[in-house]
Structure formats: C-alpha cells, structure tokens
Amino acid sequence: MKILLMTLALAASVIAADYGHMSTIERWYTPEMAKNGQKVYAKSCASCHGLKGEGSVSPWNIKMANGRYPPPPLNDDAHAWHHPLDALRFIVMNGGKPTGGVMPAFKNTFNEDQVDEVIAYFQDFWSDPVYEEWIRRGGLKP
C-alpha cells in the first residue's frame, strides 16, 4: 500500500511538472484545455516566454539595449495575472503592437479555442493564491 501511495504521489508530481501545478480550487478552464494549450504554446510562445511561462530574459522588467522590455514571464512571477481574461485574449489575438510591444498577432494563426487553451496552459502555472487574487481583481469580468 505504501508503495502504491508513493507511486501515485510521484505520478501527480510529474503531471504537475508538465502541465502546471495541482490546483485545489476551481478554475475557468479544464485540465484538458491546459494540456491542449501546451502544444500550441510550445510551438508559438515558448521561444519568447519560456517553456513553462518563466520568461527567457532575466530580469524581465529592465529595458534591453534596444530600449524595449523583454517578453515577460507568463507564470505568476510577472504581471500577466494583473490582466483580465478578455485583455489576455486581446493581446494573444492582436499582439503587442497596439499596446506598444512587439509581440506578433496570432489572430490568423490560432482559433478562439486555441487562444483559450494557450491562456489556460500558462495560467495553470499560477499558484492558487495568485489565481484567487486575479479573480478578486475581476479576471473573469468582461
């Protein structure tokens, strides 16, 4: 029995490492959405935002030599969780140019379901307290 419990705990930690963490609260997305989002994210987002949303340049909040900020982490280390879901969708679809950034637009690459799956994937790395604060700040309000 002890070996079975240890095996289950190890399996859960591997799943958490691959797709985020094991949340104890209900979220707007399903685990399947986050899993599907991993594939799209790995192909189109990870080169700038890191494989697990950790960012690719540190520090992310200091301007680079070109005068621009690097792509921010999308996990809960930076400011992605300050933006409501509709704003996150807008940025993914329209890119960073409307807000002064350089991120490309993905409206001709991703469908609406894929946009939500990519967001679900990186939000799955948000801790429960950060996710709850996002909700408290109106994360799901239009």
Side-chain angles (χ1 to χ4, degrees):
M1 182 67 167
K2 187 174 181 181
I3 292 174
L4 176 62
L5 291 175
M6 289 173 49
T7 302
L8 290 173
L10 177 61
S13 68
V14 168
I15 291 168
D18 284 346
Y19 302 115
H21 73 289
M22 300 299 286
S23 179
T24 59
I25 60 172
E26 186 175 340
R27 297 190 179 217
W28 69 268
Y29 56 87
T30 66
E32 183 180 356
M33 289 174 69
K35 183 178 179 180
N36 292 342
Q38 181 187 27
K39 296 170 194 152
V40 177
Y41 181 93
K43 181 179 177 185
S44 301
C45 311
S47 62
C48 293
H49 293 286
L51 286 173
K52 296 183 178 184
E54 73 280 8
S56 58
V57 177
S58 185
W60 66 270
N61 56 352
I62 304 286
K63 288 184 179 181
M64 299 182 297
N66 66 6
R68 297 198 174 270
Y69 289 100
L74 299 175
N75 60 15
D76 60 11
D77 288 341
H79 64 85
W81 64 273
H82 292 189
H83 304 293
L85 183 57
D86 283 348
L88 295 172
R89 287 175 174 145
F90 178 87
I91 293 167
V92 173
M93 294 294 280
N94 298 292
K97 290 184 182 174
T99 58
V102 296
M103 181 178 132
F106 288 97
K107 63 184 168 194
N108 296 323
T109 306
F110 300 163
N111 62 41
E112 289 181 11
D113 288 341
Q114 289 172 313
V115 170
D116 281 351
E117 289 168 347
V118 164
I119 294 168
Y121 175 70
F122 70 73
Q123 281 190 338
D124 213 39
F125 292 106
W126 296 2
S127 67
D128 287 347
V130 167
Y131 185 84
E132 288 173 324
E133 179 63 16
W134 178 74
I135 293 291
R136 191 188 70 72
R137 289 176 175 224
L140 292 177
K141 292 182 183 172

